[in-house]
Amino acid sequence: MEFDRFSGKTLDEALAAACNAKNAAVEELTYTVVEEKSGFLGLGRTITIEAWAESDIIVFLHDYIQTYFDNAEMDGTVSIELDDTGFYRISVDTNANAVLIGRQGRTLQDFTVLVRSAASAVFKKHIRLMIDVNGYKEERYEKVARMAIRVARDVRRTKVDAVLEPMPADERKAVHNALSDMDDISTKSHGEGPERRIHILYTPGKVSEPAE
């Protein structure tokens, strides 16, 4: 992917041109000076930058996923929202949801890693994102949260810690959130990569914080 280029007599002018084109503030831009010409006796000096904003990431993600659908001859539409924490929430509507989700969500998990890696490589920063297909992820979060609550209640009753099966980071977050308000229960994640698991620990005396 080639980033847009902007030029000016000074860096400020080049940045102003980029901000105007992308409808973004300077602090929302990431840029690199790619060319600087001094001109003759200081006349005709120009600076050229490559710049991108969050909107460029959204365009890239949309086009990347849509191209995947087109190449695979699959029907699908893509919508993307950027939340206040810089997390991209991608919703996919497709008739081929079983193919894209896969058994226990494994294919969707691998596809999410592929898209994240591609975007991170292009923009040279870690891109945080989640891809949901026809609402599968929200249903999955509810399912793992209910399961974790059942296990946590057993842990509290038996006072014996438990370890859950490996799950991706977004599902682990759903479990942590579901158990954060449970008295005498705490959670920790251990392991690396696809083998990372949540440990549900009996923690006597741990009291949930009252909601404000």
Side-chain angles (χ1 to χ4, degrees):
M1 175 178 175
E2 293 185 0
F3 296 121
D4 295 327
R5 292 192 172 196
F6 304 91
S7 298
K9 295 179 180 179
T10 65
L11 177 59
D12 287 342
E13 282 191 8
L15 288 171
C19 290
N20 183 61
K22 297 182 177 297
N23 193 28
V26 173
E27 54 269 20
E28 296 173 332
L29 294 179
T30 298
Y31 70 90
T32 303
V33 176
V34 294
E35 187 177 49
E36 188 169 358
K37 296 181 179 179
S38 59
F40 180 68
L41 297 178
L43 300 176
R45 180 175 182 266
T46 60
I47 290 180
T48 301
I49 64 172
E50 285 184 342
W52 56 266
E54 300 292 351
S55 58
D56 294 298
I57 298 179
I58 291 177
V59 170
F60 174 85
L61 292 171
H62 179 278
D63 291 350
Y64 189 93
I65 296 172
Q66 197 66 58
T67 298
Y68 171 85
F69 285 142
D70 294 342
N71 291 340
E73 299 183 347
M74 295 167 54
D75 292 331
T77 57
V78 184
S79 61
I80 303 174
E81 292 183 358
L82 175 64
D83 68 19
D84 294 337
T85 67
F87 193 87
Y88 296 87
R89 300 186 180 278
I90 305 171
S91 297
V92 174
D93 184 8
T94 177
N95 292 329
N97 58 307
V99 175
L100 191 55
I101 293 171
R103 188 166 184 264
Q104 296 183 333
R106 299 276 177 82
T107 302
L108 179 56
Q109 183 178 342
D110 291 342
F111 184 59
T112 300
V113 172
L114 173 65
V115 175
R116 181 190 302 120
S117 298
S120 298
V122 168
F123 293 96
K124 297 180 174 58
K125 62 177 287 187
H126 179 62
I127 305 295
R128 298 187 303 124
L129 60 86
M130 183 272 288
I131 302 176
D132 194 3
V133 177
N134 296 351
Y136 165 81
K137 272 297 184 181
E138 291 303 324
E139 293 178 3
R140 178 66 180 167
Y141 295 154
E142 293 177 4
K143 182 176 180 179
V144 297
R146 289 196 299 268
M147 175 273 297
I149 290 172
R150 289 197 301 270
V151 174
R153 286 171 177 165
D154 286 341
V155 168
R156 190 165 57 185
R157 177 177 55 83
T158 63
K159 300 179 176 57
V160 177
D161 298 342
V163 183
L164 303 182
E165 291 297 314
M167 60 182 69
D170 57 327
E171 293 180 13
R172 294 197 305 271
K173 181 179 179 181
V175 171
H176 288 305
N177 290 341
L179 301 184
S180 62
D181 293 334
M182 185 173 287
D183 294 346
D184 301 326
I185 291 294
S186 61
T187 57
K188 297 288 184 181
S189 290
H190 294 283
E192 300 295 332
E195 292 303 313
R196 194 162 176 81
R197 305 164 183 256
I198 288 182
H199 292 234
I200 300 178
L201 310 174
Y202 176 63
T203 313
K206 183 255 182 180
V207 179
S208 63
E209 294 292 333
E212 296 183 359

